[in-house]
Amino acid sequence: MAFTEMSDTEMATSTLIQAIETSLNPSTDQQKRAEAYEFIEGFKTSSPMCVPVALLLCNRQNAAVIRHTGLQLLEHTVKLKWNSMSSSEKAKLKATALHLVGEGMVNSSDEPAHIKEALSRLVVELIKREWPQNWGSLLPELNNICGFGEIQTEIVLMIFLRLAEDVITMDSNLQSSRKKEIINELNRLAQELFVFFLETLSTNISSYRVLKASVHLRLAEQTLKTLTGYLDWVKFGVLYAKNYIILQMLCLLLEEESLKIPAAECLLIIGKYDERTPLLELFSEDAMSVMFSAAQKAVTAEFDERQYLFLKRLCQLLVTLGETQLFHLWNSQNPHEKPPNFKEYLEAMVAFSKHENHPSLNKPALADLLEESCHLQG
């Protein structure tokens, strides 16, 4: 029988796995658990074998907790050791991260969310250091990875969301010059990104309606979440595409039970834009009828936490449209600019008051609307 000698990397990996399992074993005594934690943290901080060991830990045959630790090791390496790495090491790590996105995941709904989150964080940490100057191929590579399957597309969407969140609000350690470079590049590519977002949303909504597969619902929901990370700050002109198709899609999703909350959250962000004429689309007969119908269904449905949240978001949307759009379009200086479907708008607002558990409606705003409309109509 032939025996193969374990390499130093394999031995270190085996020891680290043992420490992870010891730290998580409920029967481990307190001292051994503390020693295991200390070993893991010491390895993470000082071992020169972090990257090769992490790659072995990330093998998709391993338990999720082992793989997650591997991804954390890689992220830790990027955050703390990036500046001391050679160009070839950096290039290899970038390629490895994208390889994990494309081929390192379990291609099923069984892949835990925290694994996907950890992988998206790793890629974003690399992006913040290398893109666009030293990683011009990133978007074509991510686009190619999306062709591998649904889970890869989901992780790519998570990457874009995390990147927007970090760059715009969350990462206070990111240098202002880097932040500006990344935001400028995202703005330059915004049209292309939104085409990807909307095509992904449309495809998966259609697939879900036909196949009722949870993966398509999950992808549609992730796309809507990703949109919320961009709608806050992207230039409004991006939304002009295909005659404001995004507004039509989001309005129709208000009647899709599983997607109505994130759709309402997207519309709420858009409603705050200082763009008057384009947002008249939301006062169109089709849009108002959908909002009115959604409001009626919500107030008559069995009340639960989800219904409450949807009612709250839809209420906020309608009030926001009144406060930021309607008053600027139709006022004493423009008394003849009343939207043709103002009646439906008021009916949707009033529908909230007919439910005993309706969310806190901005009643002063509704009262102002009624008073101003009566005044303008003489």
Side-chain angles (χ1 to χ4, degrees):
M1 181 181 294
F3 291 91
T4 57
E5 186 176 336
M6 291 180 70
S7 67
D8 290 343
T9 301
E10 290 170 329
M11 289 178 64
T13 303
S14 178
T15 305
L16 190 57
I17 289 175
Q18 187 176 2
I20 295 166
E21 292 173 342
T22 299
S23 69
L24 296 173
N25 190 331
S27 65
T28 301
D29 64 52
Q30 189 172 353
Q31 183 177 347
K32 287 185 177 179
R33 180 174 287 109
E35 291 172 353
Y37 278 132
E38 186 178 349
F39 175 81
I40 295 168
E41 291 304 312
F43 185 92
K44 187 187 296 184
T45 304
S46 59
S47 175
M49 294 189 289
C50 271
V51 173
V53 167
L55 295 180
L56 290 177
L57 295 179
C58 288
N59 188 305
R60 60 186 179 188
Q61 303 302 319
N62 289 329
V65 66
I66 303 299
R67 296 167 63 211
H68 188 257
T69 302
L71 292 169
Q72 287 182 316
L73 274 178
L74 291 174
E75 183 183 352
H76 185 85
T77 300
V78 173
K79 285 182 174 180
L80 297 187
K81 303 177 182 178
W82 187 255
N83 291 334
S84 63
M85 295 173 67
S86 67
S87 298
S88 61
E89 288 173 329
K90 291 177 180 179
K92 184 176 180 180
L93 192 48
K94 288 187 293 185
T96 296
L98 292 188
H99 174 77
L100 288 173
V101 177
E103 301 181 39
M105 295 292 99
V106 177
N107 283 310
S108 75
S109 57
D110 296 332
E111 186 68 275
H114 68 282
I115 295 291
K116 293 180 282 190
E117 286 284 356
L119 182 51
S120 68
R121 285 199 308 271
L122 168 62
V123 176
V124 169
E125 288 302 323
L126 290 165
I127 290 173
K128 288 188 293 186
R129 287 159 177 79
E130 290 287 279
W131 187 74
Q133 288 87 343
N134 301 318
W135 207 354
S137 63
L138 175 66
L139 260 60
E141 288 180 278
L142 290 177
N143 183 61
N144 182 57
I145 286 170
C146 287
F148 291 9
E150 287 88 359
I151 193 168
Q152 287 80 7
T153 303
E154 182 183 8
I155 296 172
V156 169
L157 288 166
M158 294 168 76
I159 289 168
F160 282 124
L161 174 58
R162 181 82 186 194
L163 178 61
E165 289 176 339
D166 274 12
V167 172
I168 301 300
T169 56
M170 291 176 60
D171 190 351
S172 58
N173 295 319
L174 188 62
Q175 292 181 349
S176 57
S177 59
R178 282 297 297 140
K179 183 177 292 191
K180 183 177 180 180
E181 289 167 353
I182 294 171
I183 291 174
N184 286 343
E185 188 68 5
L186 287 173
N187 269 316
R188 189 182 73 81
L189 297 168
Q191 196 77 51
E192 183 179 339
L193 289 175
F194 269 69
V195 168
F196 165 62
F197 296 152
L198 296 182
E199 286 181 352
T200 302
L201 182 61
S202 178
T203 298
N204 283 283
I205 289 170
S206 298
S207 297
Y208 175 67
R209 286 171 176 164
V210 174
L211 303 174
K212 300 299 180 185
S214 61
V215 64
H216 298 300
L217 177 61
R218 194 173 70 244
L219 266 170
E221 187 171 9
Q222 182 61 54
T223 307
L224 291 170
K225 287 180 182 177
T226 303
L227 279 170
T228 62
Y230 288 79
L231 290 171
D232 257 338
W233 55 272
V234 76
K235 294 177 181 177
F236 191 83
V238 173
L239 308 186
Y240 289 177
K242 297 182 180 179
N243 196 28
Y244 315 113
I245 187 68
I246 187 172
L247 298 179
Q248 300 169 38
M249 292 175 69
L250 293 173
C251 281
L252 290 173
L253 288 179
L254 294 176
E255 294 197 289
E256 190 71 54
E257 183 63 31
S258 300
L259 298 170
K260 63 185 185 181
I261 293 174
E265 289 172 342
C266 286
L267 284 169
L268 179 57
I269 296 172
I270 293 173
K272 296 176 183 178
Y273 271 87
D274 188 24
E275 294 283 344
R276 311 303 176 202
T277 304
L279 288 174
L280 274 176
E281 288 289 321
L282 293 177
F283 285 99
S284 68
E285 182 177 354
D286 289 341
M288 275 296 135
S289 64
V290 169
M291 283 190 249
F292 183 37
S293 174
Q296 284 184 314
K297 288 179 182 178
V299 298
T300 57
E302 182 178 351
F303 193 75
D304 59 23
E305 189 174 346
R306 285 194 77 260
Q307 291 298 342
Y308 173 84
L309 183 56
F310 176 64
L311 282 168
K312 184 176 181 179
R313 291 291 179 263
L314 188 56
C315 176
Q316 290 172 326
L317 169 61
L318 292 168
V319 170
T320 297
L321 288 175
E323 291 178 335
T324 64
Q325 305 300 328
L326 186 59
F327 282 163
H328 292 276
L329 292 166
W330 182 39
N331 50 48
S332 56
Q333 282 74 45
N334 300 289
H336 304 297
E337 297 298 323
K338 181 176 76 170
N341 296 292
F342 181 62
K343 178 182 176 182
E344 287 78 4
Y345 172 76
L346 284 184
E347 287 174 344
M349 292 280 281
V350 171
F352 288 100
S353 66
K354 296 181 179 180
H355 195 283
E356 60 181 2
N357 292 313
H358 64 79
S360 300
L361 178 63
N362 190 334
K363 291 184 179 179
L366 178 55
D368 288 346
L369 282 170
L370 291 170
E371 182 180 351
E372 183 71 11
S373 64
C374 290
H375 172 73
L376 290 172
Q377 295 180 85

